[in-house]
Amino acid sequence: MKDKSILEMYLEDMKEIKPLEESELDTLKKALSNGDNSAKNRIIEGHMMYATELIQPFVGCGQEITDLISESHLALTMAVAEYKSGDLKEQIRTAVEKRLNEIIDEETKVKNASNMLADRLNDLMEASRILAQEYGREASVEELSDRLMVPKDEVEELLKISLNAMDPEKNI
């Protein structure tokens, strides 16, 4: 619910911005092509609500609404800065959707990497437990490496990670 109230407040603030009329946009695009920064800023301002509306399909995909808004506005700014000709609104839509898909893909990759690491740590702990039962002592790094069929340095790294996770003093 927090995200919804932030979005509602933001949308309320956006109502303060005067919408762009088509004739104004045509004039601004001409000025933009001549390097007029005030035209660029007005085009960006005039399209902020549009860029914000484009986040709707991405809400609930693991990103905070404030991050989605920020990223959509960054993509909007870049699209306007790079604009040369053609359908500006379509170029903005493409840039915003591309950027939002990128950040969601990045988040997915991070989560997948985190899950893979957790799986590797679980495998290590399970192998360690089994070998301890078999040998009546803690397994060596070499024995764990052989059991898991991974290089010794990977076992050492996983052991460091697991020890750091269990010792809050080391995470400070």
Side-chain angles (χ1 to χ4, degrees):
M1 279 301 170
K2 180 185 94 172
D3 279 347
K4 288 291 184 193
S5 63
I6 290 171
L7 181 59
E8 288 167 1
M9 289 187 313
Y10 180 77
L11 293 174
E12 193 63 35
D13 288 345
M14 294 300 298
K15 290 179 183 175
E16 304 281 324
I17 296 173
K18 180 183 167 233
L20 278 175
E21 300 294 329
E22 198 60 41
S23 60
E24 180 187 11
L25 181 58
D26 290 340
T27 303
L28 290 170
K29 287 195 288 190
K30 287 176 187 161
L32 177 66
S33 67
N34 293 325
D36 185 338
N37 270 341
S38 62
K40 178 175 84 170
N41 292 338
R42 177 65 182 119
I43 291 171
I44 291 168
E45 179 186 64
H47 285 89
M48 287 173 70
M49 181 61 95
Y50 175 64
T52 302
E53 290 167 358
L54 292 172
I55 73 166
Q56 291 302 327
F58 299 91
V59 173
C61 291
Q63 294 291 323
E64 297 285 330
I65 286 181
T66 52
D67 292 339
L68 293 172
I69 292 169
S70 295
E71 292 293 338
S72 72
H73 288 182
L74 177 61
L76 162 64
T77 301
M78 300 289 285
V80 172
E82 294 169 0
Y83 177 76
K84 299 291 182 230
S85 65
D87 186 344
L88 176 61
K89 205 164 192 170
E90 178 61 23
Q91 291 175 33
I92 291 168
R93 184 191 62 74
T94 300
V96 169
E97 288 177 352
K98 179 180 181 221
R99 181 62 194 140
L100 295 179
N101 280 314
E102 287 171 354
I103 64 167
I104 288 170
D105 288 347
E106 288 169 16
E107 179 72 19
T108 300
K109 286 177 186 173
V110 167
K111 284 180 183 176
N112 288 343
S114 181
N115 289 341
M116 282 178 41
L117 178 59
D119 290 345
R120 299 295 294 162
L121 287 168
N122 288 336
D123 291 346
L124 175 68
M125 293 301 114
E126 181 65 13
S128 180
R129 185 186 64 73
I130 290 169
L131 289 173
Q133 285 177 341
E134 288 177 11
Y135 299 152
R137 62 173 171 76
E138 276 191 44
S140 69
V141 171
E142 291 81 12
E143 291 165 334
L144 288 167
S145 175
D146 289 343
R147 176 61 63 105
L148 294 170
M149 295 184 282
V150 297
K152 186 178 132 186
D153 59 334
E154 184 178 335
V155 171
E156 290 170 342
E157 191 62 34
L158 288 169
L159 287 169
K160 285 179 194 175
I161 292 168
S162 67
L163 288 173
N164 286 340
M166 290 188 284
D167 187 357
E169 296 278 322
K170 290 185 180 183
N171 291 329
I172 296 175

